[in-house]
Amino acid sequence: MRSKENLLDYAGPDRIVPAMEMAIKFQNEPEFLISLRSGIPTLDKLTDGFRDGELITISGYTKNGKTLLAQTLTAAFMDQGSFPLWFSYEVPARQFLRQFPKVPHLFMPLDLKPNAMDWVEERILEALHKFNCRCVFIDHLHFLFDLGRSRNPSLDIGQVIRRLKGVAIREEIIIFLLCHTQQPKEGDEGLSYEKIRDSSFVAQESDSVIMIARTPEKDKNYAVARVEFHRRTGVMKEKVFLEKSGWWLKERASE
């Protein structure tokens, strides 16, 4: 701790400054470094695009379309000239790549290390500096820490989420994090961010949570994505109606 006298003369890069000085610093800088659209009109309207510094969580029951939605976003971003970094823990790399009609222009680690946040952050920085990757997909959360050794999964997840959010802000990138929900129980009235597994910190620290669920009573290829909240736009609990079209999702008419 510096003395009072030393603090009065402190001029380090983290010094306290008037808001006006901070505003002057930013006045000639763009509002955002990167803004990507999903290609799904209603989702784009609800989110006003995805921007650097944001941590977006995609969640839902197993086999309900989380990875398919992420692949759809990936294809849309590639069309906009942004080529993502993918950590595909859930699906083997060979299988993941074969889900696209042709080899996608994205980046992946040659080998994956689970339970290694230091390694994940280092690979994110590598992709940023080598290939200017400003969009990252991680599938999924529970591969980022050792659940079997965790004494308090909720706190451990909280640390992971805060770290990812910190990386997104510091490096000015977008991070999409896929995660599972609790298993459905009889009488459940539908998905909400409160059903994300093991920790409330996921929703608390995310800029937006998008839940996705199939609607088998209508059609096995139909799904509903719900933007549970979006901090920047203020949207809460708004639905986007989707249908599977080959290897990706597209919007369909509302019910």
Side-chain angles (χ1 to χ4, degrees):
M1 178 71 71
R2 290 182 172 86
S3 67
K4 177 181 177 180
E5 290 73 18
N6 287 336
L7 287 173
L8 287 170
D9 295 326
Y10 182 64
D14 58 347
R15 67 189 183 280
I16 302 298
V17 298
M20 182 58 70
E21 183 176 335
M22 188 72 80
I24 291 172
K25 174 184 176 183
F26 294 129
Q27 67 182 1
N28 294 322
E29 296 183 5
E31 182 183 351
F32 46 83
L33 182 64
I34 184 173
S35 179
L36 299 173
R37 315 292 284 187
S38 71
I40 300 171
T42 299
L43 183 58
D44 286 331
K45 180 179 178 180
L46 297 174
T47 63
D48 191 25
F50 302 104
R51 298 183 182 178
D52 52 276
E54 293 182 339
L55 174 63
I56 311 296
T57 293
I58 299 174
S59 187
Y61 297 135
T62 301
K63 304 298 183 184
N64 267 245
K66 296 187 297 296
T67 301
L68 189 59
L69 176 57
Q71 289 173 193
T72 301
L73 297 177
T74 296
F77 298 163
M78 289 190 297
D79 286 343
Q80 295 162 67
S82 182
F83 307 110
L85 169 65
W86 258 87
F87 294 89
S88 181
Y89 289 102
E90 183 87 328
V91 178
R94 182 186 297 107
Q95 179 183 337
F96 173 77
L97 292 174
R98 285 177 177 171
Q99 290 172 346
F100 293 86
K102 62 180 181 180
V103 178
H105 190 170
L106 53 79
F107 301 92
M108 306 177 75
L110 195 58
D111 191 22
L112 282 171
K113 291 185 179 181
N115 313 325
M117 265 304 300
D118 287 344
W119 176 84
V120 168
E121 183 171 346
E122 188 176 85
R123 298 287 72 73
I124 291 174
L125 294 177
E126 178 190 1
L128 174 62
H129 296 307
K130 279 185 178 179
F131 306 111
N132 195 33
C133 287
R134 292 198 173 273
C135 180
V136 178
F137 287 87
I138 302 173
D139 187 8
H140 61 82
L141 168 63
H142 282 74
F143 284 97
L144 300 183
F145 76 105
D146 192 341
L147 182 61
R149 295 185 177 183
S150 175
R151 294 185 177 182
N152 192 325
S154 179
L155 291 180
D156 288 342
I157 288 173
Q159 290 178 353
V160 167
I161 296 295
R162 290 192 189 102
R163 188 164 177 181
L164 290 174
K165 175 59 179 174
V167 171
I169 292 174
R170 186 179 68 249
E171 305 301 334
E172 298 178 303
I173 63 176
I174 311 166
I175 297 178
F176 290 86
L177 178 65
L178 281 63
C179 57
H180 291 315
T181 62
Q182 304 165 16
Q183 290 302 310
K185 298 178 182 179
E186 187 175 350
D188 278 355
E189 296 183 355
L191 281 176
S192 78
Y193 68 85
E194 296 173 343
K195 294 185 179 180
I196 294 175
R197 271 188 54 189
D198 297 322
S199 181
S200 62
F201 289 112
V202 178
Q204 290 172 19
E205 302 293 336
S206 296
D207 292 281
S208 181
V209 173
I210 301 172
M211 308 297 292
I212 185 166
R214 293 187 186 275
T215 54
E217 70 282 359
K218 301 287 185 182
D219 187 292
K220 65 179 181 180
N221 291 320
Y222 281 12
V224 176
R226 191 167 79 167
V227 180
E228 290 288 280
F229 62 84
H230 195 286
R231 299 191 194 282
R232 178 164 43 80
T233 64
V235 163
M236 293 189 68
K237 299 187 182 302
E238 292 283 353
K239 292 181 179 179
V240 183
F241 297 94
L242 304 169
E243 63 178 306
K244 185 178 180 182
S245 179
W247 59 273
W248 58 295
L249 291 167
K250 66 178 183 179
E251 188 163 357
R252 61 183 171 90
S254 60
E255 296 178 335

